[in-house]
Amino acid sequence: MADSITDFYHQKTDAELQFLVENPGYYQPDIVAEARRELRRRGVAPSQPALAEPVAMAASPARGLPTGPLVLAVAVVLALSLGVLYFINHKNSPPAAAVAIAPTKPKAPPRLTEVATSTIPDFGPAVVASVQRQVQRIPARERAAAAQEAMPLRQYRELAKRFWTAETQTEYVMNQARRGQLDAALPGHIQAVESTWEQWNKAMNYSYKFGPAMSDHLDIMTRVARQQQEGLNDLLIVANNPQSYENDQTRKRAADVSDLLSGLLPKSPVTGQPYNTIVRRVRL
């Protein structure tokens, strides 16, 4: 077996044996030693083994890496450059107090601006009082008889309530127009009053069985309601096309309405002024 090993090395070329000697880290020590003896036997000086890879990388100038004093000089220059840059930035930056976000000032509450508005007053108590006074103007016997019926007095009260609810609002709006107070709210007021009259109109779709005085009152209320609604239509035209409201037609209508209303109540629940009765003179 020793002869076969010797023949193995004898068959190797000088270059192959040199490779075994130069790279001892890849082979067993006895193989490297035999390769070195074979080279000596041939009269060839064995080469030195290659240096470890990490050492070669650190020492090899082929890698292009700076070494020794050059590395130190570069490091010093880099450190000085960073220091100068930091100093310049720090000098130009505003103070910390200035950089801090200023506290948000609370917003002032919104200012409320008063806008001139006008609304139709609530004539509820005046309506209740007007209905009561009108009922009292019915003769006691007729009122007692109506109270004994199934619903006539109750129906009469409801009709009177709807009538005076619309009539008081109408008087207020028309008095405003006569005084020249034709503001931007007037068209809306007129439409609101017309809606109130619609409640009266709906009630007039039915027939009622009243006594003489109650029937007369119903006739008066019906005629006043018709004229007042006509007056509101004319007033709406004036409100949408500003012009004087008073003319011969409106004055005559107001006089007729006042004369009719005097048959229900002696004075207006809105103004407190007496309803004027038209005196008609007849020549004999």
Side-chain angles (χ1 to χ4, degrees), residues 93-158:
S93 62
V99 175
I101 300 176
T104 303
K105 294 182 179 180
K107 294 183 179 180
R111 296 182 60 185
L112 301 179
T113 304
E114 294 185 2
V115 179
T117 59
S118 58
T119 58
I120 300 177
D122 181 13
F123 294 103
V127 170
V128 173
S130 298
V131 172
Q132 186 60 30
R133 293 191 186 100
Q134 186 171 314
V135 170
Q136 292 174 354
R137 301 191 73 175
I138 301 172
R141 182 177 295 181
E142 182 178 341
R143 189 166 63 247
Q148 293 177 359
E149 296 285 343
M151 288 190 298
L153 188 58
R154 180 179 177 183
Q155 292 173 339
Y156 177 86
R157 286 181 176 275
E158 178 61 27

Side-chain angles (χ1 to χ4, degrees), residues 83-106:
V84 172
L85 181 61
Y86 173 79
F87 175 77
I88 294 174
N89 291 337
H90 182 72
K91 181 178 181 181
N92 294 335
S93 62
V99 175
I101 300 176
T104 303
K105 294 182 179 180

Side-chain angles (χ1 to χ4, degrees), residues 50-268:
L51 296 177
E53 182 65 17
V55 176
M57 289 180 62
S60 176
R63 296 285 182 174
L65 296 177
T67 60
L70 180 60
V71 174
L72 180 60
V74 172
V76 171
V77 172
L78 181 61
L80 290 175
S81 300
L82 292 176
V84 172
L85 181 61
Y86 173 79
F87 175 77
I88 294 174
N89 291 337
H90 182 72
K91 181 178 181 181
N92 294 335
S93 62
V99 175
I101 300 176
T104 303
K105 294 182 179 180
K107 294 183 179 180
R111 296 182 60 185
L112 301 179
T113 304
E114 294 185 2
V115 179
T117 59
S118 58
T119 58
I120 300 177
D122 181 13
F123 294 103
V127 170
V128 173
S130 298
V131 172
Q132 186 60 30
R133 293 191 186 100
Q134 186 171 314
V135 170
Q136 292 174 354
R137 301 191 73 175
I138 301 172
R141 182 177 295 181
E142 182 178 341
R143 189 166 63 247
Q148 293 177 359
E149 296 285 343
M151 288 190 298
L153 188 58
R154 180 179 177 183
Q155 292 173 339
Y156 177 86
R157 286 181 176 275
E158 178 61 27
L159 288 172
K161 177 182 177 181
R162 295 190 182 194
F163 173 81
W164 286 110
T165 298
E167 174 58 26
T168 52
Q169 294 181 6
T170 302
E171 289 187 28
Y172 175 81
V173 171
M174 288 187 171
N175 288 337
Q176 296 291 98
R178 291 189 183 97
R179 289 196 290 266
Q181 299 178 358
L182 304 177
D183 56 21
L186 183 59
H189 290 171
I190 295 172
Q191 294 173 358
V193 177
E194 287 177 337
S195 298
T196 307
W197 278 116
E198 283 299 319
Q199 299 302 315
W200 163 266
N201 296 336
K202 290 179 181 179
M204 294 308 297
N205 291 327
Y206 303 93
S207 58
Y208 302 96
K209 296 180 180 180
F210 294 147
M214 295 170 66
S215 296
D216 288 343
H217 290 175
L218 180 59
D219 179 65
I220 292 173
M221 290 188 290
T222 302
R223 293 164 65 185
V224 170
R226 182 173 60 252
Q227 294 206 53
Q228 293 290 60
Q229 291 180 74
E230 291 176 356
L232 288 171
N233 291 334
D234 293 342
L235 182 57
L236 184 59
I237 296 175
V238 172
N240 292 325
N241 301 277
Q243 54 188 291
S244 177
Y245 171 69
E246 285 280 53
N247 53 46
D248 292 340
Q249 181 181 358
T250 59
R251 283 189 285 268
K252 182 179 183 305
R253 182 186 293 123
D256 290 341
V257 168
S258 181
D259 179 57
L260 289 169
L261 289 173
S262 64
L264 299 176
L265 293 180
K267 60 183 180 181
S268 168

